Amino acid sequence: MIRFLSFLIAVFIVTTIYLSNTVQERQNVLRRVAQHNDTWAISQTVQEFMRLEATLALYNADTYDVTLDDVRLRLDIMISRMLTMREGTIKLFMGEMPTRERTMNTLFAVVTDLDTSLNGSETPDLAPILARMHELERPLTTLSAQSVQLSWARVEKNLVALERIHRISGIVVTILIMCWCGLLLILQNHNRLLKLAHKRGKILNNSLNEAGEELRNKNRSLHYAAHHDSLTALPNRVLFWGELETALQTPDCSVSLLLLDLDEFKTINDTMGHDFGDVLLHQVSERMRRFDVKPQMFCRLGGDEFACLLLGKTAEDSQAYAHDLAIDIAAPYQLSDRRVEIGCSIGLVNVPTPSVDDAQELFKRADIALYRAKASRSDRICVFEPFMQGEFDDRTLLESDLRKAIGQGEIEVAYQVQVCVRTDELRGIEALARWNHPTRGHISPNIFIPIAEDIGLIRELGQHILTKACAEAVTWATPLKIAVNLSTMQMQSPEFISVVSEAIRVTGLKPNRLELEVTESMLLDKREDIVIALNDLRRFGITIALDDFGTGYSSLAVLRDIPFDTIKLDKSFIRDIGHDKEAEALVKLVIDLGQTMNKFIIIEGVETVEQKEIIRKLGGHIAQGYLFGHPVPATELAHLR
Ligand code: C2E
Ligand code: CA
Ligand code: CA
């Protein structure tokens, strides 16, 4: 198409140039045609000459009524005619042939002489001039004829040229018309294509608009998904941080941050299934959404952790709000045919002038408060106070020290005897973890064992103590039982069985000398798995003791379902025997239960001879306590080897 257009344009240019040339040429031809005037002028001059001659002859004959003035008139006309003969193209025509030149000169001479004669005397002799004029008639007639002839020849030639020009012009014009037609066709085609393109463009535009809208919708839903929790549809962590940072930048507006954690949600999740847990989380979030006093924002941070952001509230108002919220959440939930109750712990922090705190810092404080709220058994709502930060920092330091101590094998094992109250013979020895901190001194296992669980090092620590205790027991001369405490996380480890069997293999301890102590709280989660593991261990010959019996959530079902060999009655029951009959009755009950169920009963915390005697009287056999010996390091067990 472009080639064709270029060709048309080239043709246009060429034809236009050619046409302008043709017009120019036509102008020239026409100009040449105009030279017929010369022929007319020459013949007029000849005719005028003839008239002058005739007038002169009549004047000379004097018979007619011709005056000198008539002659002069004719002469003047003749002279004026003659003057034109000496100009322009006529002059050129005259100069073409010597005869013409001569005739012309003769004519000029005759006319000049006549003029002189007429001006010279009253009666000029005109006969000689008439004779000379007569002689001139012929050459002048020839001249006129030649002029006519030449003129006709030129006319003929110019006509041919004009015809040619007209013919060519016709062809050029035809070409031009054809070009125009071609151009018109192209334009029409272009128009059609343009209309088509316009139509397609419109369709494309529409589909682009639709795609754009779809993209915008997708973007919106992606944005929503990126900022909301899919289970509860509450804002998620990302949106929460954004809102918290914005809130902290708002001048003169106090910010309260509440961190919520559901109590025992994990247990519900583990015992009733994750789907059930999900439905519960959803219902809890619905309660938050519907909670009367609308907060700035509720969001789910993950798992069973939620956050609530309040703006413009005083510390007291925020605390009251947290209290009401906790009550609202704690109300029973009806999940299909089950009624569930779940409480929550709340950590609260309030900053009246938020600009001084950054979001991370605020969150950390609320987290510290939540940590305390969870640790406290009585108060589920904890408001952050500056001293807590110190405690938290202290704990962080302790964590890092413990990490180091476990890594370097600095946790020691102390041994406490278990004695038969009837024969005073040793029944076994319990291994108890000991940490002697370089600056803080002795730290209770009640403190560092939970920290080791929190920082995920309990398995490593448990393995260390188990191996150390087994290795110690192997050195004893009598095959006493060695009791080792276990923590929940240790038992939940998939490698637990292999860790125990490895300790036995490495140390060479007979499995029936090992007693593993578990607490009731361990049996809340994944009970089936734990029962399987305990049975595996018992098949191995290892015995299992239920530690701290009576302090947990024991039900008789625990005693029925869990495969124990020994029940260790918690020391809190012994404290009051001797002066509290009910306490004694309880101890008796457990001793009888053991006998009935064919289990060993170990009474813990025996500190006095009186307590020992009462236990003996109540039918008890084995006891453990300061009366028989404090936990001692391995070095003090030399007598056993
Ligand atoms: P537990 O298993 O009940 O251990 C007995 C605790 O009672 C020991 O405290 C012991 O020193 C103390 N005790 C013994 N006789 C008496 C007494 O007559 N009167 C009083 N008032 N207390 C007595 P300890 O060593 O501070 O251990 C505390 C708890 O830490 C242990 O309680 C046990 O639950 C845990 N624990 C200790 N070592 C380990 C360990 O290696 N692993 C695990 N998972 N937990 C351990
Ligand atoms: Ca124990
Ligand atoms: Ca105990």
Side-chain angles (χ1 to χ4, degrees):
M1 182 60 75
I2 290 175
R3 274 188 195 171
F4 186 57
L5 257 177
S6 314
F7 170 74
L8 278 185
I9 290 167
V11 170
F12 267 126
I13 294 168
V14 170
T15 47
T16 309
I17 293 168
Y18 194 81
L19 212 60
S20 74
N21 276 348
T22 313
V23 169
Q24 188 67 37
E25 204 178 325
R26 189 169 168 270
Q27 274 318 100
N28 291 340
V29 171
L30 286 174
R31 206 172 292 133
R32 284 204 294 277
V33 169
Q35 282 177 6
H36 293 302
N37 293 341
D38 295 352
T39 311
W40 182 81
I42 291 167
S43 64
Q44 281 297 309
T45 308
V46 171
Q47 269 184 28
E48 210 48 59
F49 177 79
M50 296 301 184
R51 274 192 205 115
L52 176 63
E53 188 187 4
T55 309
L56 193 63
L58 288 174
Y59 176 71
N60 199 35
D62 210 14
T63 47
Y64 295 92
D65 202 10
V66 176
T67 63
L68 188 61
D69 288 338
D70 292 335
V71 176
R72 280 194 190 285
L73 178 68
R74 283 286 149 209
L75 182 63
D76 288 342
I77 292 169
M78 184 61 204
I79 289 168
S80 73
R81 285 269 168 229
M82 262 172 33
L83 287 176
T84 60
M85 305 285 276
R86 293 217 176 248
E87 292 167 355
T89 46
I90 300 177
K91 191 181 172 192
L92 290 175
F93 171 75
M94 293 304 176
E96 277 173 7
M97 289 173 125
T99 46
R100 289 182 197 158
E101 193 95 17
R102 259 198 315 276
T103 309
M104 203 64 199
N105 290 340
T106 315
L107 176 66
F108 269 80
V110 169
V111 171
T112 310
D113 288 350
L114 176 62
D115 189 36
T116 315
S117 302
L118 289 177
N119 289 334
S121 70
E122 289 276 315
T123 53
D125 185 10
L126 297 173
I129 290 172
L130 275 170
R132 281 167 67 194
M133 286 178 82
H134 184 68
E135 275 172 26
L136 262 175
E137 277 177 17
R138 211 182 140 99
L140 276 177
T141 311
T142 309
L143 189 71
S144 176
Q146 277 178 353
S147 158
V148 168
Q149 219 168 18
L150 189 73
S151 174
W152 274 116
R154 274 189 188 147
V155 165
E156 199 61 33
K157 197 175 149 194
N158 288 337
L159 278 176
V160 170
L162 267 177
E163 260 173 37
R164 186 175 57 81
I165 287 166
H166 279 151
R167 223 178 14 253
I168 290 169
S169 301
I171 291 166
V172 170
V173 168
T174 311
I175 290 171
L176 270 175
I177 288 168
M178 279 165 73
C179 284
W180 276 115
C181 288
L183 210 61
L184 226 76
L185 281 175
I186 288 173
L187 276 175
Q188 226 167 4
N189 194 35
H190 259 232
N191 220 14
R192 192 178 57 81
L193 287 176
L194 267 176
K195 269 185 191 163
L196 205 73
H198 183 71
K199 207 168 142 190
R200 280 186 190 159
K202 226 171 163 180
I203 293 169
L204 199 72
N205 197 32
N206 284 347
S207 51
L208 268 177
N209 278 346
E210 278 168 23
E213 190 53 41
E214 204 174 311
L215 213 66
R216 270 191 292 280
N217 284 341
K218 272 200 179 137
N219 260 356
R220 269 196 287 272
S221 51
L222 271 178
H223 185 267
Y224 184 85
H227 292 86
H228 289 83
D229 171 49
S230 56
L231 175 68
T232 60
L234 284 177
N236 65 8
R237 207 170 255 279
V238 179
L239 197 54
F240 165 75
W241 281 109
E243 287 292 318
L244 182 58
E245 266 156 24
T246 314
L248 289 175
Q249 278 156 17
T250 315
D252 304 325
C253 177
S254 67
V255 175
S256 303
L257 174 62
L258 282 72
L259 291 186
L260 294 91
D261 192 293
L262 301 181
D263 298 334
E264 300 300 335
F265 176 74
K266 192 173 179 312
T267 311
I268 291 179
N269 218 14
D270 288 343
T271 52
M272 299 186 180
H274 287 256
D275 291 345
F276 194 87
D278 283 354
V279 177
L280 180 61
L281 281 176
H282 190 261
Q283 291 214 1
V284 170
S285 71
E286 280 301 307
R287 284 230 182 127
M288 289 178 180
R289 228 193 296 272
R290 285 201 303 264
F291 191 58
D292 303 351
V293 198
K294 290 274 173 283
Q296 172 69 13
M297 170 190 266
F298 265 121
C299 87
R300 184 181 174 211
L301 298 175
D304 60 342
E305 276 181 46
F306 296 85
C308 168
L309 201 60
L310 297 170
L311 297 185
K313 280 200 185 292
T314 61
E316 292 73 31
D317 286 349
S318 314
Q319 211 171 332
Y321 180 90
H323 188 74
D324 294 348
L325 181 63
I327 290 174
D328 197 59
I329 289 174
Y333 296 84
Q334 192 65 41
L335 304 182
S336 55
D337 57 341
R338 297 181 93 146
R339 193 178 145 92
V340 183
E341 282 186 35
I342 191 161
C344 73
S345 305
I346 300 178
L348 195 162
V349 62
N350 174 277
V351 276
T353 47
S355 55
V356 294
D357 290 276
D358 68 79
Q360 294 281 350
E361 183 58 32
L362 197 71
F363 189 87
K364 210 171 103 187
R365 290 180 188 180
D367 204 30
I368 290 170
L370 175 65
Y371 179 80
R372 279 184 73 91
K374 283 186 84 69
S376 153
R377 281 176 187 264
S378 53
D379 205 355
R380 308 310 281 173
I381 297 168
C382 177
V383 183
F384 176 83
E385 284 178 50
F387 78 87
M388 293 175 191
Q389 182 72 55
E391 276 186 7
F392 179 78
D393 293 344
D394 190 56
R395 181 182 153 101
T396 314
L397 210 65
L398 203 63
E399 278 179 11
S400 120
D401 289 347
L402 181 62
R403 208 180 284 275
K404 223 184 297 167
I406 294 172
Q408 294 170 358
E410 286 171 12
I411 306 296
E412 291 298 331
V413 183
Y415 299 90
Q416 189 181 31
V417 292
Q418 295 168 343
V419 177
C420 175
V421 288
R422 295 177 189 279
T423 61
D424 283 344
E425 279 176 21
L426 289 182
R427 179 262 178 184
I429 292 184
E430 181 177 2
L432 294 158
R434 288 288 173 269
W435 181 23
N436 196 14
H437 190 276
T439 54
R440 297 173 196 237
H442 172 75
I443 295 175
S444 164
N446 283 324
I447 294 173
F448 72 81
I449 295 285
I451 297 179
E453 285 179 338
D454 283 353
I455 62 176
L457 289 179
I458 191 65
R459 287 171 197 168
E460 201 179 327
L461 176 63
Q463 189 176 0
H464 167 76
I465 289 164
L466 179 67
T467 315
K468 223 171 166 171
C470 291
E472 173 59 33
V474 172
T475 65
W476 302 334
T478 34
L480 300 172
K481 280 255 180 210
I482 175 77
V484 180
N485 292 285
L486 294 180
S487 84
T488 319
M489 288 175 88
Q490 253 176 298
M491 286 211 63
Q492 284 174 350
S493 158
E495 301 100 52
F496 173 60
I497 300 282
S498 59
V499 166
V500 176
S501 52
E502 181 65 7
I504 286 173
R505 193 189 64 75
V506 169
T507 57
L509 183 79
K510 283 207 172 115
N512 62 359
R513 288 186 58 199
L514 180 62
E515 183 154 81
L516 295 175
E517 296 193 3
V518 296
T519 56
E520 294 157 273
S521 58
M522 291 183 193
L523 307 167
L524 290 171
D525 283 357
K526 300 181 181 167
R527 185 179 288 199
E528 290 84 10
D529 295 351
I530 288 174
V531 169
I532 291 170
L534 293 179
N535 275 325
D536 284 350
L537 292 168
R538 289 184 86 214
R539 264 195 293 278
F540 219 43
I542 296 167
T543 54
I544 307 295
L546 180 59
D547 203 0
D548 301 342
F549 183 71
T551 55
Y553 315 87
S554 330
S555 68
L556 290 174
V558 173
L559 294 174
R560 188 194 57 200
D561 297 345
I562 310 300
F564 300 114
D565 303 281
T566 308
I567 293 172
K568 293 184 81 178
L569 185 64
D570 188 70
K571 51 183 174 283
S572 56
F573 291 91
I574 311 307
R575 211 179 301 133
D576 299 327
I577 57 169
H579 48 87
D580 183 342
K581 290 286 166 206
E582 274 184 21
E584 269 175 42
L586 271 172
V587 174
K588 171 95 177 87
L589 185 77
V590 176
I591 290 170
D592 292 347
L593 188 79
Q595 272 166 1
T596 318
M597 290 181 79
N598 200 21
K599 312 272 181 201
F600 286 106
I601 300 291
I602 299 177
I603 315 291
E604 288 192 288
V606 179
E607 295 181 353
T608 63
V609 180
E610 191 196 355
Q611 286 170 341
K612 180 189 165 191
E613 283 308 311
I614 295 171
I615 290 165
R616 218 157 57 90
K617 271 192 212 140
L618 291 173
H621 285 272
I622 303 154
Q624 189 180 339
Y626 295 158
L627 177 67
F628 312 105
H630 281 261
V632 291
T635 47
E636 290 185 29
L637 295 179
H639 59 281
L640 290 177
R641 294 189 186 117

